[in-house]
Amino acid sequence: MDQQRWQKLVDWPLAIAAMAFLVAYSWQVIGELTGTAADVAEAVIWVTWGLFVIDYVVNLWLAAHRWRWFSTHLFDLAIVVLPMLRPLRLLRLVTLLAVLQRTAGAAFRGRVILYVIGASLLLVWVAAVAVLDAERGQDGSIQTIGDGLWWAFVTITTVGYGDYFPVTPTGQFIAVGVMIGGIALIGVVTATLASWIVEKVGQSTSNDQAATRVEMDLLTAEIRALREELTRG
């Protein structure tokens, strides 16, 4: 089995595992679970972690150039090392969606828009749950999932009202990640909009030039016909 076939084989199972992890972790944090429920959620988290470890090891083993693959797939390593990143695997599902557009550029922008929407929603939710997990019970202002969602939303949009903010080192680390993610998403949206405007202007210019050429051809034909009539006369 080669690496491409392996990745195609495990795309859906890993996406389901990422969703299972996200649900279990959210349930564990928001519900403040104890007893059997806490054990079940913890088991799901560990099982999904194990699946991602297996996927990483197999990919590294099947890679034709292992060191190159390792150096170019540090995000995959981060997913294994940092549990909070595992839900971002769900973004791989976007590549399985057919974006029906007329041009290649439009299709690319369609995928980018889907990625941005998916990444934004996932980042807001994961950041809200993670910061709640780090901040609850401390002396900070984030003590409920509502607080976490509001903080994550205003942070990713770079508004930053300052009414909710993390006070623990873990929460502040999460905040840095959300801020960087927000800046990156805004950059992607800006670049996508700019490319759309440039394409529309280019299409308009091409249409105008085509119309001008048609009018010139018609005028030339009329002048030629007039000359022929004058010659006959």
Side-chain angles (χ1 to χ4, degrees), residues 2-213:
D2 59 11
Q3 189 180 30
Q4 185 175 5
R5 184 179 177 186
W6 167 260
Q7 290 177 346
K8 186 177 181 180
L9 183 67
V10 300
D11 257 344
W12 278 101
L14 288 180
I16 294 171
M19 177 63 76
F21 171 85
L22 181 59
V23 171
Y25 180 66
S26 301
W27 183 35
Q28 185 185 60
V29 173
I30 298 173
E32 299 183 78
L33 302 181
T34 58
T36 304
D39 294 338
V40 170
E42 193 67 23
V44 172
I45 290 172
W46 279 103
V47 168
T48 57
W49 179 81
L51 292 175
F52 281 96
V53 171
I54 292 172
D55 174 61
Y56 182 82
V57 172
V58 172
N59 270 300
L60 184 60
W61 176 260
L62 294 176
H65 304 282
R66 293 192 180 109
W67 175 249
R68 182 185 301 173
W69 187 89
F70 172 81
S71 61
T72 56
H73 291 78
L74 295 178
F75 179 72
D76 290 335
L77 177 61
I79 286 175
V80 173
V81 176
L82 301 175
M84 292 307 97
L85 294 181
R86 266 174 249 163
L88 295 183
R89 276 277 190 165
L90 292 170
L91 290 177
R92 284 193 173 188
L93 288 178
V94 178
T95 61
L96 303 177
L97 302 177
V99 182
L100 301 178
Q101 299 285 348
R102 289 188 175 183
T103 65
F108 173 74
R109 281 194 300 274
R111 294 189 185 97
V112 169
I113 291 171
L114 286 177
Y115 269 113
V116 168
I117 294 173
S120 300
L121 294 176
L122 278 174
L123 186 56
V124 167
W125 179 258
V126 172
V129 176
V131 80
L132 175 62
D133 190 21
E135 295 291 312
R136 186 163 50 197
Q138 306 299 322
D139 295 329
S141 54
I142 303 174
Q143 299 298 320
T144 67
I145 187 61
D147 299 339
L149 285 170
W150 175 251
W151 168 83
F153 182 77
V154 298
T155 303
I156 197 174
T157 56
T158 68
V159 175
Y161 285 116
D163 48 352
Y164 294 98
F165 55 89
V167 295
T168 64
T170 302
Q172 291 168 352
F173 176 77
I174 295 169
V176 171
V178 175
M179 284 183 273
I180 294 174
I183 293 172
L185 290 173
I186 290 174
V188 170
V189 172
T190 303
T192 303
L193 179 61
S195 69
W196 178 80
I197 293 174
V198 169
E199 181 176 325
K200 289 301 180 182
V201 171
Q203 289 178 350
S204 177
T205 301
S206 299
N207 293 337
D208 291 343
Q209 290 176 348
T212 301
R213 283 195 295 269

